[in-house]
């Protein structure tokens, strides 16, 4: 009995003296103003006069805007195959990543309240009674930008215009909407993990571009000016009593690289055009058996930020290739424009991206064969999101959360049949015998991009 009492006493002493895990509030670990990506938009109550906070609720009146949003990559941010593959990795701080892809608390099963011992891989959470599975599927939905709550919990709509015609409360706050992009597209931080580098500099690049304004680029341009062009229309098409005024489109076409192959079909309608301008100097001295000197001028003509921007693994690949009349490749040379990173830990070791308005000359040489018989010189430019090597690793991801992407494990395994890895953004072919040339238009380039669907990785240029 005495030994039992001693053991109990030792256990009580050990329990009392053992240091309890520290519970760090998110507000203590992250700065809500400069690191807003670490926080979700708190649970939102239904908007009076609307009946909810989902895009389906907004669709009842704002039909055009809904249709545009539905085509956008924002609406597919959770069903992003690459994102889901990345999210399955053991070193992925999932709750932080999801804060941008499903940014409203109502979209989350759990509410993250603290970190155990200040460790981002040990979030402390509680069940979210306001979780809405259907809203979760909408990813970056209307409410992410346009709905907030007042001090007593009443939800209201934030718009660019004030109005008394709406059935719901509206607060006019264009400055808020101008800056909302920063939350996910301008995150700041260092060293959360050794390979997490979602720290983009697009805003800084844009700001620096405006200090040295080129004639092709207007001063005081913003993300919205380029990515949400305006057109004259009614906010609610069927309400003919409403004024026709400048309203922003909600396509956010960006680089034109969709999340699914099927989304290429409406890319031109959404207003896509490449930011890269390619000019080829006239070919001279095409002499059999000699080198042909090629002069290409590559210009970042349409992007205010650098090209490409944001995702550090994206790059532009320019290819000069000589083919015989049967299409067999004889000579090929490539030029890469983008960032170069060393991994584990992540470290940028090179960066040759094009600044706004910058023109760079690339002068490759192609050896002309002794006999020319309808040989074709091909100049191609691709915007690459995922290399074939990385796509191979992506397709091997395990533990994909199928609550976020239905049948996700199979889809990730078969990613090359669903997920565009690159876009054709320029192509010109010149017949060296006849000097005739063909420059592909946007529609033809999109068709080339669609033909990559299912192509074996070993057969791709990237």
């Amino acid at each position: 009995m005495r030994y039992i009492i001693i053991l109990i006493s030792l256990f009580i002493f050990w329990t009392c003296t053992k240091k309890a895990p520290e519970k760090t509030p998110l507000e203590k670990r992250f700065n809500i103003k400069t690191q807003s990506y670490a926080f979700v938009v708190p649970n939102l109550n239904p908007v009076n006069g609307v009946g909810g906070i989902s895009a389906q609720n907004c669709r009842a009146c704002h039909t055009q805007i809904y249709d545009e949003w539905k085509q956008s990559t924002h609406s597919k941010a959770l069903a992003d195959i690459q994102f889901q593959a990345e999210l399955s990795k053991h070193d992925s701080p999932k709750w932080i990543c999801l804060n941008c892809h499903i940014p409203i608390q109502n979209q989350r099963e759990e509410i993250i309240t603290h970190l155990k011992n200040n460790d981002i891989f040990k979030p402390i959470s509680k069940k979210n009674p306001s979780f809405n599975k259907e809203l979760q599927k909408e990813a970056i939905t209307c409410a992410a930008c346009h709905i907030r709550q007042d001090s007593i919990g009443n939800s209201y709509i934030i718009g660019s215009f004030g109005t008394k015609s709406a059935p719901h409360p509206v607060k006019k706050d264009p400055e808020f909407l101008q800056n909302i992009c920063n939350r996910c597209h301008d995150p700041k931080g260092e060293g959360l993990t050794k390979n997490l580098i979602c720290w983009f500099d697009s805003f800084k690049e844009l700001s620096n571009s405006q200090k040295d304004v080129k004639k092709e680029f207007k001063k005081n341009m913003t993300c919205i000016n380029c990515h949400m062009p305006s057109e004259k229309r009614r906010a609610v098409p069927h309400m003919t009593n409403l004024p026709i005024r400048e309203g922003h489109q909600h396509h956010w076409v960006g680089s034109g690289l969709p999340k699914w192959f099927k989304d290429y079909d409406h890319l031109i309608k959404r207003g896509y055009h490449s930011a890269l301008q390619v000019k080829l100097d006239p070919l001279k001295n095409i002499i059999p058996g000699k080198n042909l000197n090629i002069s290409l001028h590559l210009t970042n003509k349409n992007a205010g930020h650098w090209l490409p921007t944001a995702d550090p693994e994206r790059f532009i690949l320019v290819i000069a290739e000589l083919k015989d009349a049967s299409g067999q490749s004889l000579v090929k040379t490539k030029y890469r424009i983008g960032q170069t990173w060393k991994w584990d830990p992540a470290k940028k070791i090179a960066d040759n991206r094009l600044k706004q308005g910058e023109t760079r000359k690339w002068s490759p040489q192609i050896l002309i064969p002794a006999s020319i018989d309808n040989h074709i010189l091909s100049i191609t430019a691709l915007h690459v999101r995922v290399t074939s090597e990385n796509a191979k690793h992506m397709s091997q991801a395990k533990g994909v959360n199928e609550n976020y992407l239905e049948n996700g494990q199979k889809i990730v395994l078969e990613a090359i049949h669903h997920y565009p890895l690159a876009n054709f953004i320029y192509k010109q072919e010149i017949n060296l015998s006849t000097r005739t040339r063909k420059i592909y238009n946007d529609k033809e380039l999109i068709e080339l991009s669609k033909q990559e669907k299912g192509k074996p990785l070993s057969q791709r240029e990237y």
Side-chain angles (χ1 to χ4, degrees), residues 426-438:
Y426 180 84
K427 189 174 183 66
Q428 180 176 172
E429 293 176 331
I430 304 167
N431 187 309
L432 297 186
S433 299
T434 64
R435 298 297 186 96
T436 56
R437 65 179 61 207
K438 174 180 174 55

Side-chain angles (χ1 to χ4, degrees), residues 259-276:
K259 300 299 184 185
W260 297 80
F261 274 102
K262 61 184 179 181
D263 294 326
Y264 275 119
D265 292 338
H266 46 68
L267 198 55
I268 291 178
K269 184 179 178 180
R270 290 168 59 199
Y272 165 73
H273 57 274
S274 174
L276 181 71

Side-chain angles (χ1 to χ4, degrees), residues 295-308:
S295 291
L296 279 172
H297 303 271
L298 309 168
T299 303
N300 175 4
K301 184 175 177 57
N302 297 316
H305 45 65
W306 293 11
L307 184 67

Side-chain angles (χ1 to χ4, degrees), residues 32 69 71 92 135 153 208 219 325-326 362 371:
I32 195 168
W69 165 82
Q71 294 173 352
S92 169
L135 186 68
N208 289 340
K219 193 173 179 64
S326 68
W362 181 46
S371 176

Side-chain angles (χ1 to χ4, degrees), residues 177-460:
L177 295 176
Q178 286 276 353
N179 294 322
I180 194 65
C181 312
N182 300 38
R183 182 184 179 278
C184 291
H185 292 279
D186 193 34
K188 300 298 180 187
E190 295 293 340
L192 289 184
T193 76
K194 62 181 180 179
N195 286 319
L196 181 63
I197 50 172
C198 288
W199 317 128
F200 309 148
D201 289 319
S202 302
F203 286 83
K204 183 179 178 180
E205 294 162 9
L206 176 64
S207 177
N208 289 340
S209 295
Q210 292 175 339
K211 294 176 183 177
D212 183 24
V213 179
K214 305 291 189 300
K215 64 179 181 179
E216 299 93 345
F217 186 68
K218 296 180 181 178
K219 193 173 179 64
N220 299 322
M221 290 291 280
T222 67
C223 309
I224 290 177
N225 295 141
C226 286
H227 292 279
M228 299 183 69
S230 62
E231 66 176 5
K232 290 185 177 181
R233 63 184 182 184
R234 291 186 176 91
V236 182
H238 70 266
M239 294 183 66
T240 56
N241 61 309
L242 293 180
I244 296 176
R245 56 191 179 190
E246 292 287 337
H248 290 286
Q249 298 175 16
H250 288 64
H251 289 123
W252 300 286
V253 66
S255 69
L257 258 169
K259 300 299 184 185
W260 297 80
F261 274 102
K262 61 184 179 181
D263 294 326
Y264 275 119
D265 292 338
H266 46 68
L267 198 55
I268 291 178
K269 184 179 178 180
R270 290 168 59 199
Y272 165 73
H273 57 274
S274 174
L276 181 71
Q277 180 187 75
V278 181
K279 289 186 177 181
L280 173 65
D281 285 347
L283 299 177
K284 300 178 181 179
N285 301 322
I286 303 178
I287 304 173
K290 299 289 185 180
N291 281 325
L292 172 64
N293 295 315
I294 301 170
S295 291
L296 279 172
H297 303 271
L298 309 168
T299 303
N300 175 4
K301 184 175 177 57
N302 297 316
H305 45 65
W306 293 11
L307 184 67
T309 193
D311 185 344
E313 293 187 291
R314 293 191 182 217
F315 61 93
I316 291 171
L317 184 64
V318 186
I319 306 167
E321 182 178 19
L322 183 64
K323 299 179 181 180
D324 64 20
S326 68
Q328 181 178 349
S329 179
L330 303 176
V331 186
K332 184 187 300 184
T333 183
K334 300 180 180 181
Y335 179 60
R336 184 184 186 278
I337 301 173
Q339 303 176 58
T340 303
W341 286 75
K342 180 181 177 181
W343 299 100
D344 206 22
K347 181 181 179 181
K348 183 160 68 173
I349 57 178
D351 189 348
N352 70 339
R353 292 176 295 157
L354 290 168
K355 298 179 181 179
Q356 202 289 316
E358 179 184 357
T359 296
R360 189 174 303 156
K361 185 177 180 180
W362 181 46
S363 302
Q365 290 184 331
I366 294 287
L367 179 63
I368 304 299
S371 176
I372 301 176
D373 181 16
N374 290 317
H375 285 59
I376 301 295
L377 174 65
S378 172
I379 305 296
T380 305
L382 294 134
H383 182 167
V384 182
R385 172 164 57 197
V386 181
T387 64
S388 295
E389 181 181 358
N390 287 343
K392 181 179 179 181
H393 293 299
M394 182 178 78
S395 66
Q396 295 171 347
K398 302 295 182 183
V400 175
N401 190 332
E402 299 196 340
N403 291 323
Y404 297 141
L405 179 61
E406 187 177 354
N407 204 24
Q409 189 64 67
K410 184 175 185 292
I411 289 173
V412 168
L413 178 65
E414 301 171 349
I416 61 172
H417 299 279
H418 307 287
Y419 195 64
L421 306 182
N423 262 2
F424 283 83
I425 57 177
Y426 180 84
K427 189 174 183 66
Q428 180 176 172
E429 293 176 331
I430 304 167
N431 187 309
L432 297 186
S433 299
T434 64
R435 298 297 186 96
T436 56
R437 65 179 61 207
K438 174 180 174 55
I439 300 177
Y440 286 65
N441 60 36
D442 286 340
K443 185 176 180 179
E444 291 169 324
L445 292 170
I446 288 171
E447 288 303 313
L448 287 177
S449 301
K450 290 166 66 174
Q451 290 172 21
E452 297 290 282
K453 180 178 180 179
K455 181 186 289 187
L457 295 175
S458 60
Q459 297 178 17
R460 304 196 185 205

Side-chain angles (χ1 to χ4, degrees), residues 43-56:
N43 278 325
L44 298 170
N45 292 318
V47 181
N48 290 332
V50 175
I53 63 170
S54 79
Q56 292 296 331

